[in-house]
Amino acid sequence: MSDTMEKLVSLCKRKGFIFQSSEIYGGLNGCWDYGPLGVELLRNIKEAWWRAMTDRDDVEGIDASILMHPRVWEASGHVEGFNDPMVEDSKTNERFRLDHLLEAAGVDCGDLGFEEMKAKIAELGLKSPKGNELTDPRQFNMMFKTHVGPVEDSANVVYLRPETAQGIFVNFLNVQQAMRKKLPFGIAQIGKSFRNEITTKNFLFRTREFEQMEMQYFVKPGEEEKWFDYWREQRFRWFTEALGIPESRLRWHEHGSGELAHYARQAFDVHYEFPFGWDEVEGVHNRGQFDLGQHEEFSGKQLKYFDEAAREKVLPGVVETAIGASRATMMVLAEAYAEEQIKEGDTRTVMRFHPRIAPLKVAILPLVKRDGMPDVARCIEADLRPHLRVFYDESGAIGRRYRRMDEVGTPFCLTVDSDTLQDDTVTIRERDSMAQERVKIADLLGEITRRISAWKRSES
Ligand code: ATP
């Protein structure tokens, strides 16, 4: 793991963002728990996404169940094709994704199918990272299987969903009819997905249980490309505007022919420059009529939309935007982390979250624990708490309290001091610039709200 990643993982644990799942039992690979600050950050990211999707009249939300009829996964192609190419170290039995090994050896796998990757491994005489022979590559299905009811046999197999999209496709007509939607319209959903990944690594980046935020946009057949371009632009803007990710650390990656999923006609991923390199955060896919067509065939039910103007039934095409909430959280954490030298011999660690998604918005700090300062501070806390996530702290030197807030990315600290008792003002200290200004207590909520909206990431 890179130095920055190690520091980030350690900060996340120390400060209550992310804990290893079942840590006291040695942990479970590929699973993480969100602590008190992590869960706030995750919720804020999900909320930013939900608002961007549903604050418009052409997108509706749903929350489908994780377990679905097993035929869904036959229709979707997952039973047959949701495979990753896998090889093992013949001595240690360690497993690797074939494409990851090839990419580490400098091969661009974008256009390569499974057989071509197999041939490449042989051609290069590639060994495992420990220098041992590799086993024959094979395809590994990533869906987790379980059983419904008390008897474990093949008749009652169900899968933990590997994506949220299918819950949307099977509800397409329910939503369209209940909400009397006209094409084009979208259905948005946030929920858990599960993939039995061959290797999990890089903290929250690739896990076996994760949350996805997906929106499927149903369009008249033939209009897919237009809407594909539209959603690509919308989604890119969301990263910079809602999450404050600089454009310089984002780029598009177009899927080559070997990389395209079985359902996709066109696919572009948003890549972010993580501390371990550029990698995917979101996919925007033109799925054409594949999904609704498959579900019509496998369920025997019509999923066509009646176009009143044209007086005809049509099977809509689909443009999808799919992002991992946990992977987005990983990106936001990585982007926020900074170590700064303030002056000779004095450094600070600061999490520069966009204030809108920062877990805590304001810390309220009485300078000392006497002269009535804690009482005033508690009144300010009571006033602000219904509107903003606030944190009250009266212990330790003020400088140390500021640093603790910097480390968890709290954008504003309010300090109650002896002047407060005279003139009803407090100092407001900004996390990024560390600049302090006096503000009337009565104006605090408006001032903080204004600063949250006006925030721009500083260049350093
Ligand atoms: P990858 O190539 O990284 O395995 P993918 O192309 O299979 O991802 P999609 O099926 O398009 O991913 O899923 C959409 C989004 O869901 C991804 O962009 C990512 O943000 C998230 N995601 C997918 N798999 C995982 C995982 N194992 N852990 C965390 N997030 C994931």
Side-chain angles (χ1 to χ4, degrees):
M1 217 190 296
S2 76
D3 198 30
T4 311
M5 282 297 291
E6 264 177 33
K7 287 182 188 164
L8 189 59
V9 174
S10 144
L11 179 140
C12 281
K13 178 178 174 189
R14 209 163 15 93
K15 293 292 172 184
F17 283 92
I18 312 287
F19 308 125
Q20 197 183 8
S21 159
S22 341
E23 191 184 4
I24 58 170
Y25 288 97
L28 180 66
N29 255 344
C31 298
W32 299 89
D33 297 341
Y34 289 76
L37 297 190
V39 74
E40 290 297 332
L41 181 65
L42 176 68
R43 286 173 64 111
N44 292 342
I45 292 171
K46 290 193 285 187
E47 182 62 14
W49 185 88
W50 191 254
R51 296 296 299 266
M53 287 299 172
T54 60
D55 276 3
R56 26 185 311 149
D57 67 2
D58 59 348
V59 178
E60 302 288 343
I62 64 160
D63 188 356
S65 67
I66 289 171
L67 301 179
M68 301 179 75
H69 194 289
R71 290 277 284 166
V72 166
W73 305 109
E74 288 172 34
S76 69
H78 283 77
V79 171
E80 178 94 358
F82 194 54
N83 302 318
D84 265 350
M86 181 180 81
V87 280
E88 285 179 41
D89 179 313
S90 57
K91 288 225 170 86
T92 65
N93 295 104
E94 225 179 321
R95 293 171 160 193
F96 304 97
R97 251 172 74 170
L98 192 56
D99 51 334
H100 289 173
L101 275 189
L102 281 168
E103 268 158 17
V107 177
D108 178 4
C109 293
D111 288 322
L112 304 184
F114 178 62
E115 291 304 327
E116 289 157 317
M117 282 195 263
K118 257 171 90 168
K120 244 323 179 231
I121 287 264
E123 181 190 318
L124 297 172
L126 220 61
K127 299 267 193 306
S128 81
K130 296 222 168 81
N132 301 321
E133 291 298 322
L134 292 167
T135 58
D136 247 3
R138 64 185 170 93
Q139 294 279 29
F140 172 77
N141 192 293
M142 289 193 289
M143 281 201 293
F144 280 100
K145 257 189 210 169
T146 186
H147 299 87
V148 282
V151 186
E152 288 192 14
D153 68 27
S154 57
N156 57 17
V157 163
V158 290
Y159 301 96
L160 300 190
R161 68 178 176 202
E163 62 175 29
T164 50
Q166 301 305 323
I168 288 179
F169 295 132
V170 299
N171 279 302
F172 159 69
L173 266 195
N174 288 337
V175 174
Q176 188 268 320
Q177 287 166 359
M179 307 310 285
R180 300 171 44 239
K181 302 305 284 186
K182 293 207 166 15
L183 293 184
F185 76 93
I187 305 178
Q189 174 171 217
I190 300 179
K192 288 257 169 140
S193 293
F194 302 82
R195 293 183 188 180
N196 199 0
E197 299 278 358
I198 294 167
T199 51
T200 59
K201 58 177 183 184
N202 293 328
F203 199 27
L204 307 177
F205 181 80
R206 187 175 301 289
T207 54
R208 297 203 165 101
E209 173 178 342
F210 55 98
E211 249 177 315
Q212 287 188 309
M213 309 190 283
E214 293 201 76
M215 194 279 301
Q216 275 69 34
Y217 201 70
F218 299 89
V219 305
K220 286 192 183 150
E223 292 190 352
E224 290 91 342
E225 280 180 32
K226 177 177 98 186
W227 289 109
F228 181 69
D229 292 343
Y230 169 84
W231 280 107
R232 273 185 58 197
E233 200 222 307
Q234 293 291 310
R235 295 305 303 145
F236 200 86
R237 276 232 313 266
W238 183 80
F239 282 85
T240 56
E241 288 175 11
L243 302 186
I245 305 293
E247 241 183 272
S248 58
R249 269 212 266 288
L250 294 168
R251 69 182 184 201
W252 285 107
H253 164 81
E254 183 176 6
H255 282 213
S257 55
E259 224 179 331
L260 275 181
H262 57 277
Y263 54 75
R265 284 205 219 153
Q266 287 171 288
F268 274 80
D269 294 336
V270 179
H271 278 205
Y272 169 76
E273 190 177 18
F274 287 96
F276 46 84
W278 289 90
D279 219 324
E280 172 182 341
V281 205
E282 168 153 359
V284 182
H285 310 133
N286 173 355
R287 300 178 71 122
Q289 293 167 298
F290 176 82
D291 306 277
L292 292 181
Q294 289 290 104
H295 285 304
E296 275 203 331
E297 188 185 328
F298 279 70
S299 69
K301 303 272 167 17
Q302 278 236 358
L303 293 176
K304 293 194 177 59
Y305 163 90
F306 182 66
D307 184 341
E308 281 180 27
R311 309 295 304 163
E312 63 175 6
K313 286 191 162 183
V314 294
L315 193 66
V318 173
V319 171
E320 114 181 321
T321 74
I323 175 171
S326 17
R327 202 175 276 185
T329 304
M330 167 84 223
M331 171 184 67
V332 163
L333 285 166
E335 184 57 42
Y337 186 87
E339 286 170 25
E340 289 175 359
Q341 179 155 30
I342 296 168
K343 50 185 189 306
E344 194 64 30
D346 188 9
T347 55
R348 69 166 182 163
T349 300
V350 52
M351 294 299 280
R352 292 166 171 274
F353 297 121
H354 189 310
R356 214 176 297 117
I357 53 168
L360 302 170
K361 305 290 187 255
V362 183
I364 300 164
L365 317 170
L367 189 61
V368 290
K369 266 193 267 183
R370 54 185 152 73
D371 305 334
M373 290 182 206
D375 298 335
V376 178
R378 286 288 188 194
C379 283
I380 297 174
E381 180 197 358
D383 280 349
L384 295 183
R385 197 177 277 287
H387 308 281
L388 299 162
R389 277 273 165 218
V390 300
F391 183 78
Y392 178 88
D393 186 7
E394 57 179 29
S395 62
I398 191 71
R400 284 236 301 282
R401 279 183 272 166
Y402 285 150
R403 295 298 164 83
R404 286 205 292 263
M405 285 297 110
D406 291 343
E407 248 191 317
V408 297
T410 310
F412 308 107
C413 289
L414 306 179
T415 309
V416 173
D417 56 19
S418 51
D419 287 351
T420 311
L421 309 173
Q422 309 302 321
D423 62 8
D424 286 333
T425 65
V426 295
T427 58
I428 179 165
R429 172 194 182 265
E430 282 208 354
R431 173 197 70 200
D432 296 350
S433 63
M434 294 183 284
Q436 301 190 19
E437 250 179 79
R438 292 206 80 84
V439 176
K440 279 256 175 235
I441 291 176
D443 298 338
L444 275 175
L445 183 57
E447 180 59 21
I448 293 165
T449 316
R450 187 190 65 74
R451 289 184 188 213
I452 291 176
S453 301
W455 183 85
K456 290 256 173 332
R457 188 173 294 281
S458 50
E459 286 311 309
S460 65

